[in-house]
Amino acid sequence: MGKDIGIDLGTASVLVYVKGKGIVLNEPSVVALDKNTGKLLKVGAEAQAMLGRTPGNIVAIRPLREGVISDYDMTERMLREFIHKVAGVSFFRPRVLICIPSGITEVEERAVVDAGIQAGARKVYLIEEPVAAAIGAGIDITQPDGHMVVDIGGGTADIAVISLSGVVESASIKIAGDQLNEAVVKYMRRKHNLLVGERTAEEMKKQIGCVFPKDEEEVMDVKGRCLLTGLPKVVAVSSTEMMDAFEEPVERIMEAIHSVLERTPPELVADISTNGIVMTGGGSLVSGFDKLVTARTGIHAVIAEEAISCVALGTGKSLADLNSLQDGTMNISRRRQMN
């Protein structure tokens, strides 16, 4: 039998889970190719190192934008490389379970399935990110008990209330880690007349970024190009400034959490206030996010233990359910129990 594979196809990174082995691959979703010949040069971490640093004939592309496929051909080639890396050259084509944002349209779902099949999967199933994140965070979603998951990835933030293995209420907004980076780039330009790249913004977010006042202010020296002189310049940036920079995107995420809570049936809201809110995804690791959610909703928020790999772990655990699915099921988080 071919091995079953679970893939967390993220805007920022791709994690691959192999049944019986766990997470075997975690690489950035970046593809580098030669523009002249169309040849694929590097995929993943090696391609990411080229972002913003490539000579004219080489382009580094991120084929997924805001949680969905923006470059179909490249996504398929990237998936093929990753599946190949994991499954090797085997006679059997694996069944693949791919994770998708909860707000994705049928056309976008179809594109993910097609890309998976083209990349060498025998059959492709889909699972919604917040459901996978909840399973990965160790929540028993089969119980008639409400749980809220806030999954902040690279391209999308997915907020969902889950009960009885299904999504009761959800929101998926295209504001997440990437938009936080963009907000930093804009802020540095506006406030310090300094041009910084995407990777520098990411570093700043990880080192001194915060969305809730820190006990002790942190400062980081940031190198970039001065917009006035065109020359390199170093600026000291504090964590309080990062809070200002993040204000708008963070506000949008908070509004989405609020609106999901407003639409949730009262019984489940009572469950959530007891169970708390679970936060997953790389974006939730920005310092103070759990404190901010707790302060604004009055519900205790916790960051899941392995926040970055929760979705992939949940996708992996769901591979066990593939055999029990009825034929024709594509999206396993929307299956209805027909027993």
Side-chain angles (χ1 to χ4, degrees):
M1 255 315 276
K3 282 200 164 42
D4 291 341
I5 297 177
I7 298 177
D8 170 13
L9 189 59
T11 310
S13 47
V14 175
L15 282 79
V16 179
Y17 184 107
V18 173
K19 204 170 176 178
K21 285 187 186 167
I23 294 175
V24 292
L25 181 133
N26 177 356
E27 299 222 15
S29 356
V30 183
V31 179
L33 82 159
D34 188 322
K35 224 165 35 186
N36 304 343
T37 62
K39 187 168 171 284
L40 200 68
L41 301 173
K42 298 274 186 249
V43 171
E46 293 171 320
Q48 190 186 33
M50 299 178 173
L51 270 182
R53 293 204 168 107
T54 55
N57 64 323
I58 298 174
V59 280
I61 309 171
R62 294 178 63 184
L64 292 128
R65 280 263 167 245
E66 299 176 335
V68 294
I69 296 176
S70 65
D71 186 327
Y72 178 81
D73 186 42
M74 283 302 124
T75 304
E76 180 216 309
R77 286 164 76 171
M78 177 175 79
L79 271 177
R80 177 173 297 153
E81 286 294 314
F82 287 148
I83 291 176
H84 187 79
K85 225 180 210 181
V86 170
V89 185
S90 85
F91 181 63
F92 291 106
R93 298 171 65 167
R95 286 188 303 181
V96 177
L97 176 60
I98 300 179
C99 209
I100 51 165
S102 55
I104 170 173
T105 65
E106 277 185 25
V107 175
E108 289 163 342
E109 278 190 6
R110 202 63 256 176
V112 175
V113 171
D114 290 346
I117 299 279
Q118 293 296 328
R122 177 169 46 132
K123 206 156 185 196
V124 174
Y125 297 96
L126 305 174
I127 182 168
E128 289 178 29
E129 260 160 33
V131 176
I135 298 170
I139 297 171
D140 180 0
I141 63 165
T142 57
Q143 300 302 315
D145 189 19
H147 289 277
M148 187 175 211
V149 176
V150 177
D151 177 49
I152 306 172
T156 56
D158 280 280
I159 300 117
V161 173
I162 296 167
S163 176
L164 288 169
S165 297
V167 174
V168 181
E169 272 303 336
S170 71
S172 178
I173 58 170
K174 294 177 169 24
I175 304 275
D178 285 352
Q179 284 64 35
L180 293 178
N181 293 352
E182 278 168 32
V184 173
V185 173
K186 281 183 191 155
Y187 179 85
M188 294 302 289
R189 193 179 208 150
R190 196 177 63 236
K191 184 83 189 286
H192 295 290
N193 279 322
L194 192 75
L195 199 59
V196 295
E198 204 179 320
R199 293 183 62 188
T200 306
E202 171 88 13
E203 276 308 304
M204 291 165 70
K205 177 177 75 178
K206 285 181 175 166
Q207 283 190 33
I208 56 165
C210 66
V211 294
F212 198 79
K214 282 192 170 187
D215 301 337
E216 279 179 34
E217 185 149 80
E218 290 179 28
V219 177
M220 174 182 173
D221 285 339
V222 179
K223 297 188 185 80
R225 185 169 78 226
C226 176
L227 286 165
L228 305 174
T229 64
L231 299 171
K233 177 176 159 188
V234 179
V235 175
V237 181
S238 69
S239 47
T240 310
E241 286 189 85
M242 294 293 280
M243 255 177 70
D244 293 346
F246 288 155
E247 188 178 5
E248 198 190 344
V250 167
E251 219 25 70
R252 301 259 318 259
I253 293 172
M254 293 311 302
E255 279 166 19
I257 293 175
H258 207 135
S259 79
V260 170
L261 279 169
E262 275 177 354
R263 298 195 306 269
T264 301
E267 304 293 335
L268 292 177
V269 173
D271 290 344
I272 293 165
S273 63
T274 312
N275 296 330
I277 295 173
V278 176
M279 300 185 70
T280 64
S284 65
L285 297 177
V286 174
S287 173
F289 230 134
D290 49 344
K291 290 180 183 152
L292 180 70
V293 174
T294 304
R296 298 283 282 278
T297 59
I299 300 169
H300 183 60
V302 289
I303 291 170
E305 262 176 40
E306 294 183 53
I308 292 181
S309 42
C310 266
V311 173
L313 289 169
T315 309
K317 285 182 186 165
S318 307
L319 289 172
D321 301 342
L322 292 188
N323 295 330
S324 62
L325 292 182
Q326 294 148 339
D327 274 357
T329 308
M330 218 172 67
N331 189 326
I332 76 169
S333 25
R334 293 206 198 118
R335 60 182 171 190
R336 293 281 168 259
Q337 264 63 16
M338 305 296 281
N339 321 351

